[in-house]
Amino acid sequence: MAGEVLDGVTSDPVRLGWMAGAPPLPEKRILGARADHMRFPMIRWSYSNMRSFCPTVRVAANGDGTPFPRALRSDLGGVRFTPLGADSETTVEDSLLSAFTDGILVLHRGEVVYERWFGVTGPETRHIAFSVTKSFVGTLVQMLVGEGRIDLAVPVTSVIPELDGSGFGSATIGQVLHMTSALDFSEEYGNPNSGIGAYSAALGLTPRPASYTGPHNLWDYLTTVPGAGTHGEQFVYRTPNTDVLAWIITRVTGQPFAEVLSERLWQPLGMLGDADLIVDEIGSPFAGGGLNLRLEDLARFGEALRLGGLGVIPASDVERIRQGGEPERFNKQGYPLLGGWSYGSQWWHAHDNHGCFSARGIHGQTLWIDPVAEMVVARFASHPTAANGANDPHSLPAWRALAEALMA
Amino acid sequence: MAGEVLDGVTSDPVRLGWMAGAPPLPEKRILGARADHMRFPMIRWSYSNMRSFCPTVRVAANGDGTPFPRALRSDLGGVRFTPLGADSETTVEDSLLSAFTDGILVLHRGEVVYERWFGVTGPETRHIAFSVTKSFVGTLVQMLVGEGRIDLAVPVTSVIPELDGSGFGSATIGQVLHMTSALDFSEEYGNPNSGIGAYSAALGLTPRPASYTGPHNLWDYLTTVPGAGTHGEQFVYRTPNTDVLAWIITRVTGQPFAEVLSERLWQPLGMLGDADLIVDEIGSPFAGGGLNLRLEDLARFGEALRLGGLGVIPASDVERIRQGGEPERFNKQGYPLLGGWSYGSQWWHAHDNHGCFSARGIHGQTLWIDPVAEMVVARFASHPTAANGANDPHSLPAWRALAEALMA
């Protein structure tokens, strides 16, 4: 296959035979020891099977969840739109392949109107959500703020004294929540010398080089992140902020993060299944991106946010989340396709005329909430490119076109 | 704690503070990289948390299970008996500590009459079952025999040609099922040069030495096990037999082992929760001992066997299982406390006047079925000694005393 560029069809993991057979042929094995599970096209299989590569803990559901009713509409796959920067139209259905989609669910007024599965991914699959995880963390933070147990105005060190001396030491919890902390950390995927490379090595998601002498868990790592600049001036997307939040949640509640997530969201929202949360070698949560869950449970989280929290997340907390961040601080980041957006409470806010907001994870993980269209889109994907700039030209207009079709 | 011998009370993992805090103190961390999770007293915590150390796959329950009714009897903890070889009596309650019990459930006529939890183990915990796993495998084999899909009389190589040339090559599937295959393999725990040491290295349950050049998965390992002697002459307990069975199940059904276990037992029996199955680096099941499950689901499996299979396991298959093996072939193994017993279909058979049979795993994992007393005992433990000879002097008479108390 040297030189062949695989697309959404030809990279299908069933078609390629990854891990098929007993045992799989040597050339069809995806080995964690070689970090295969983090490389395309193997990710088309591994992102649906992360617990077989990583240590995980259970995020327990109640066992009393009921699926959303199905009211499938055969017209939605054919909805047409023009991708950003393109000359000609495409369809929602075709755009799924462009995004290397593993599964998609569209809810309209609480009913599933569109549902598609690809490759090895199905309704019971726990697919990695990557940074979509952050929006669960941010929501928990706002719930604890609402209860007066977290104060966004105080320094991080008032809860986590261990972070004194790190770049987080002089930031407030609010600055960490909204990612306006000023750190010497680059979120450059694929570069082992970048901040995210050092983060990943500490986490241990892929094998560490034999010469590695850095931290062996996330919390030790966080104490080493240097500061750079002045907190609060601009939004810069940096994953370790979220791990600081999870550390704060754990310290404030006195409970493991997975237990907080289970008791405060998974059980009361009636999630259909347990989730798998990746942990580091001392059991600290990979809060920046380690949640593996059923797609319908992701949609359920979105539907809860759309409907003001359903009594599980207090409405006033949802309101604070939906206020978003400050677009002027966001624009400095220079996302070409996200002009006018903001990042707040670990959610992405479009500030468009539908009041859309979103949870986003690398390789195409998406939760898109359109309150005006009463629509929630949940999508898992395994796009070869980590940054969502690669699929946004298709995805963002697709969600808008779906919204308009549902409102027609 | 140097020199201090920890008992069932003083080794309590909550008391010792293992993995407590955010983060745990360095001296309270249980690190897989150091193989801490397989060493006493850390096992009192780790055996209830194996998925945070090992790659696992899900064995899916249906989500429609209902707990057994509770009819707890306050007198059962005080039931008295004399441990084998002892001069004086003890009580069931005290014997739980002697066995380093993590949890115990006793069913009588399908009701829970006795239930105790210790340390970090509770009703939702998925505790490692070790070789109790084998009895699930043996049951699946007998179900496939009943369907005519496995023939115990044919050579292993008729299903797994890859095993030609190994010690299994000339054995029948029946000899592997009843562990009368003749192999050059020693089940000597704690000795890295023993057969089980090589098996563990291939499995990767603990880190391999840097100099390791052996197989990197169980199925490759199985092809390297040499023969020694004549098949069928005597029972010798050797774990790799079970992994051959799982390989056969996988090949015959064309399904991953975890899926077979889910579809044929977990879902139809109405198990309360998903189980976690440890896998090696190519996803092959650790069928010899890698099942982690809720204690009540273990009891449910026992109750199904007691009641003739409940229509899930055909009654004729249960009957073949309950026939056991041949005591004369078993006695050559020389278990001092198990005279007259046999091993058949991956179950232990007491051949006593109650027709008791049992699933047994190292460090005290037990499923004990007493058909005459209409009793099932399920116990998880983390005894410092692997071999069950260490807890049998207490456990075996305790089960008998409980049976008599329930029949009184």
Side-chain angles (χ1 to χ4, degrees), chain B residues 84 133 141 151-152 171 197 214 222 236 260 284 327 339 352 364 382-383 392:
Chain B
L84 300 175
T133 310
V141 169
D151 179 352
L152 296 183
L222 294 176
V236 184
V260 178
S284 319
D352 59 4
S382 41
H383 196 290
D392 280 339

PDB file of all heavy atoms in Angstrom, chain B residues 84 133 141 151-152 171 197 214 222 236 260 284 327 339 352 364 382-383 392:
ATOM      1  N   LEU B  84      -9.034 -28.283  58.976  1.00  0.00           N
ATOM      2  CA  LEU B  84      -8.284 -29.516  58.762  1.00  0.00           C
ATOM      3  C   LEU B  84      -6.922 -29.399  59.443  1.00  0.00           C
ATOM      4  O   LEU B  84      -6.217 -28.404  59.293  1.00  0.00           O
ATOM      5  CB  LEU B  84      -8.094 -29.764  57.266  1.00  0.00           C
ATOM      6  CG  LEU B  84      -9.402 -29.898  56.461  1.00  0.00           C
ATOM      7  CD1 LEU B  84      -9.093 -30.010  54.970  1.00  0.00           C
ATOM      8  CD2 LEU B  84     -10.203 -31.095  56.942  1.00  0.00           C
ATOM      9  N   THR B 133     -11.847 -18.742  35.928  1.00  0.00           N
ATOM     10  CA  THR B 133     -12.088 -18.495  34.500  1.00  0.00           C
ATOM     11  C   THR B 133     -12.151 -19.799  33.714  1.00  0.00           C
ATOM     12  O   THR B 133     -12.940 -19.943  32.776  1.00  0.00           O
ATOM     13  CB  THR B 133     -10.952 -17.610  33.929  1.00  0.00           C
ATOM     14  OG1 THR B 133     -10.769 -16.466  34.778  1.00  0.00           O
ATOM     15  CG2 THR B 133     -11.236 -17.173  32.510  1.00  0.00           C
ATOM     16  N   VAL B 141     -16.925 -25.153  26.226  1.00  0.00           N
ATOM     17  CA  VAL B 141     -16.506 -26.297  25.402  1.00  0.00           C
ATOM     18  C   VAL B 141     -17.585 -27.365  25.423  1.00  0.00           C
ATOM     19  O   VAL B 141     -17.982 -27.885  24.360  1.00  0.00           O
ATOM     20  CB  VAL B 141     -15.155 -26.864  25.900  1.00  0.00           C
ATOM     21  CG1 VAL B 141     -14.874 -28.211  25.226  1.00  0.00           C
ATOM     22  CG2 VAL B 141     -14.012 -25.891  25.623  1.00  0.00           C
ATOM     23  N   ASP B 151     -15.513 -31.961  18.824  1.00  0.00           N
ATOM     24  CA  ASP B 151     -15.448 -33.408  19.054  1.00  0.00           C
ATOM     25  C   ASP B 151     -14.255 -33.668  19.971  1.00  0.00           C
ATOM     26  O   ASP B 151     -13.109 -33.416  19.596  1.00  0.00           O
ATOM     27  CB  ASP B 151     -15.280 -34.115  17.706  1.00  0.00           C
ATOM     28  CG  ASP B 151     -15.178 -35.631  17.859  1.00  0.00           C
ATOM     29  OD1 ASP B 151     -15.089 -36.128  19.009  1.00  0.00           O
ATOM     30  OD2 ASP B 151     -15.188 -36.321  16.813  1.00  0.00           O
ATOM     31  N   LEU B 152     -14.532 -34.169  21.183  1.00  0.00           N
ATOM     32  CA  LEU B 152     -13.460 -34.346  22.167  1.00  0.00           C
ATOM     33  C   LEU B 152     -12.485 -35.448  21.768  1.00  0.00           C
ATOM     34  O   LEU B 152     -11.364 -35.507  22.302  1.00  0.00           O
ATOM     35  CB  LEU B 152     -14.046 -34.647  23.554  1.00  0.00           C
ATOM     36  CG  LEU B 152     -14.886 -33.526  24.173  1.00  0.00           C
ATOM     37  CD1 LEU B 152     -15.346 -33.938  25.572  1.00  0.00           C
ATOM     38  CD2 LEU B 152     -14.104 -32.214  24.226  1.00  0.00           C
ATOM     39  N   ALA B 171      -2.233 -34.590  21.381  1.00  0.00           N
ATOM     40  CA  ALA B 171      -3.312 -34.767  22.362  1.00  0.00           C
ATOM     41  C   ALA B 171      -4.665 -34.607  21.696  1.00  0.00           C
ATOM     42  O   ALA B 171      -4.803 -33.901  20.693  1.00  0.00           O
ATOM     43  CB  ALA B 171      -3.173 -33.751  23.491  1.00  0.00           C
ATOM     44  N   GLY B 197       5.961 -19.239  34.526  1.00  0.00           N
ATOM     45  CA  GLY B 197       6.725 -18.001  34.381  1.00  0.00           C
ATOM     46  C   GLY B 197       6.854 -17.594  32.913  1.00  0.00           C
ATOM     47  O   GLY B 197       6.686 -16.427  32.555  1.00  0.00           O
ATOM     48  N   GLY B 214      11.344 -14.135  24.104  1.00  0.00           N
ATOM     49  CA  GLY B 214      10.328 -15.162  23.914  1.00  0.00           C
ATOM     50  C   GLY B 214       9.107 -14.639  23.185  1.00  0.00           C
ATOM     51  O   GLY B 214       9.088 -13.507  22.684  1.00  0.00           O
ATOM     52  N   LEU B 222       1.829 -20.954  23.058  1.00  0.00           N
ATOM     53  CA  LEU B 222       1.303 -22.327  23.112  1.00  0.00           C
ATOM     54  C   LEU B 222       2.024 -23.239  22.116  1.00  0.00           C
ATOM     55  O   LEU B 222       2.216 -24.430  22.392  1.00  0.00           O
ATOM     56  CB  LEU B 222      -0.205 -22.337  22.835  1.00  0.00           C
ATOM     57  CG  LEU B 222      -1.079 -21.649  23.890  1.00  0.00           C
ATOM     58  CD1 LEU B 222      -2.538 -21.640  23.442  1.00  0.00           C
ATOM     59  CD2 LEU B 222      -0.941 -22.300  25.266  1.00  0.00           C
ATOM     60  N   VAL B 236      -2.623 -33.561  35.333  1.00  0.00           N
ATOM     61  CA  VAL B 236      -1.683 -32.596  35.895  1.00  0.00           C
ATOM     62  C   VAL B 236      -2.212 -31.212  35.553  1.00  0.00           C
ATOM     63  O   VAL B 236      -2.512 -30.923  34.385  1.00  0.00           O
ATOM     64  CB  VAL B 236      -0.257 -32.763  35.347  1.00  0.00           C
ATOM     65  CG1 VAL B 236       0.686 -31.781  36.058  1.00  0.00           C
ATOM     66  CG2 VAL B 236       0.244 -34.191  35.549  1.00  0.00           C
ATOM     67  N   VAL B 260     -18.213 -14.780  22.535  1.00  0.00           N
ATOM     68  CA  VAL B 260     -18.842 -16.084  22.783  1.00  0.00           C
ATOM     69  C   VAL B 260     -19.318 -16.153  24.236  1.00  0.00           C
ATOM     70  O   VAL B 260     -20.452 -16.567  24.527  1.00  0.00           O
ATOM     71  CB  VAL B 260     -17.847 -17.231  22.494  1.00  0.00           C
ATOM     72  CG1 VAL B 260     -18.491 -18.588  22.789  1.00  0.00           C
ATOM     73  CG2 VAL B 260     -17.361 -17.170  21.048  1.00  0.00           C
ATOM     74  N   SER B 284      -5.659 -11.672  22.283  1.00  0.00           N
ATOM     75  CA  SER B 284      -6.070 -13.030  22.639  1.00  0.00           C
ATOM     76  C   SER B 284      -6.444 -13.063  24.111  1.00  0.00           C
ATOM     77  O   SER B 284      -5.785 -12.437  24.942  1.00  0.00           O
ATOM     78  CB  SER B 284      -4.939 -14.033  22.415  1.00  0.00           C
ATOM     79  OG  SER B 284      -4.249 -13.768  21.229  1.00  0.00           O
ATOM     80  N   PRO B 327     -10.977 -39.971  39.342  1.00  0.00           N
ATOM     81  CA  PRO B 327     -10.185 -39.790  40.571  1.00  0.00           C
ATOM     82  C   PRO B 327      -8.845 -40.516  40.533  1.00  0.00           C
ATOM     83  O   PRO B 327      -7.850 -39.996  41.062  1.00  0.00           O
ATOM     84  CB  PRO B 327     -11.106 -40.350  41.668  1.00  0.00           C
ATOM     85  CG  PRO B 327     -12.489 -40.136  41.126  1.00  0.00           C
ATOM     86  CD  PRO B 327     -12.367 -40.347  39.638  1.00  0.00           C
ATOM     87  N   GLY B 339      -8.010 -35.749  48.392  1.00  0.00           N
ATOM     88  CA  GLY B 339      -8.072 -37.175  48.084  1.00  0.00           C
ATOM     89  C   GLY B 339      -9.448 -37.575  47.583  1.00  0.00           C
ATOM     90  O   GLY B 339     -10.461 -37.184  48.171  1.00  0.00           O
ATOM     91  N   ASP B 352     -17.964 -36.238  46.807  1.00  0.00           N
ATOM     92  CA  ASP B 352     -18.386 -36.509  48.196  1.00  0.00           C
ATOM     93  C   ASP B 352     -19.887 -36.836  48.203  1.00  0.00           C
ATOM     94  O   ASP B 352     -20.516 -36.917  47.145  1.00  0.00           O
ATOM     95  CB  ASP B 352     -18.063 -35.303  49.095  1.00  0.00           C
ATOM     96  CG  ASP B 352     -18.755 -34.026  48.620  1.00  0.00           C
ATOM     97  OD1 ASP B 352     -19.550 -34.079  47.642  1.00  0.00           O
ATOM     98  OD2 ASP B 352     -18.512 -32.962  49.219  1.00  0.00           O
ATOM     99  N   GLY B 364      -7.227 -17.904  46.397  1.00  0.00           N
ATOM    100  CA  GLY B 364      -8.476 -18.095  47.128  1.00  0.00           C
ATOM    101  C   GLY B 364      -9.764 -17.868  46.364  1.00  0.00           C
ATOM    102  O   GLY B 364     -10.847 -17.894  46.964  1.00  0.00           O
ATOM    103  N   SER B 382      -7.584 -12.489  48.387  1.00  0.00           N
ATOM    104  CA  SER B 382      -6.230 -12.102  47.969  1.00  0.00           C
ATOM    105  C   SER B 382      -5.249 -12.635  49.007  1.00  0.00           C
ATOM    106  O   SER B 382      -4.554 -11.895  49.689  1.00  0.00           O
ATOM    107  CB  SER B 382      -6.126 -10.582  47.802  1.00  0.00           C
ATOM    108  OG  SER B 382      -6.808  -9.884  48.820  1.00  0.00           O
ATOM    109  N   HIS B 383      -5.244 -13.961  49.077  1.00  0.00           N
ATOM    110  CA  HIS B 383      -4.368 -14.674  50.008  1.00  0.00           C
ATOM    111  C   HIS B 383      -2.910 -14.485  49.568  1.00  0.00           C
ATOM    112  O   HIS B 383      -2.621 -14.500  48.382  1.00  0.00           O
ATOM    113  CB  HIS B 383      -4.745 -16.158  49.985  1.00  0.00           C
ATOM    114  CG  HIS B 383      -4.199 -16.943  51.146  1.00  0.00           C
ATOM    115  ND1 HIS B 383      -2.871 -17.227  51.291  1.00  0.00           N
ATOM    116  CD2 HIS B 383      -4.827 -17.486  52.215  1.00  0.00           C
ATOM    117  CE1 HIS B 383      -2.688 -17.923  52.404  1.00  0.00           C
ATOM    118  NE2 HIS B 383      -3.865 -18.089  52.989  1.00  0.00           N
ATOM    119  N   ASP B 392      -7.385 -24.038  51.837  1.00  0.00           N
ATOM    120  CA  ASP B 392      -8.297 -25.189  51.901  1.00  0.00           C
ATOM    121  C   ASP B 392      -8.549 -25.702  53.325  1.00  0.00           C
ATOM    122  O   ASP B 392      -9.685 -26.087  53.623  1.00  0.00           O
ATOM    123  CB  ASP B 392      -7.770 -26.331  51.026  1.00  0.00           C
ATOM    124  CG  ASP B 392      -8.075 -26.130  49.543  1.00  0.00           C
ATOM    125  OD1 ASP B 392      -8.996 -25.352  49.222  1.00  0.00           O
ATOM    126  OD2 ASP B 392      -7.389 -26.762  48.716  1.00  0.00           O
TER     127      ASP B 392
END
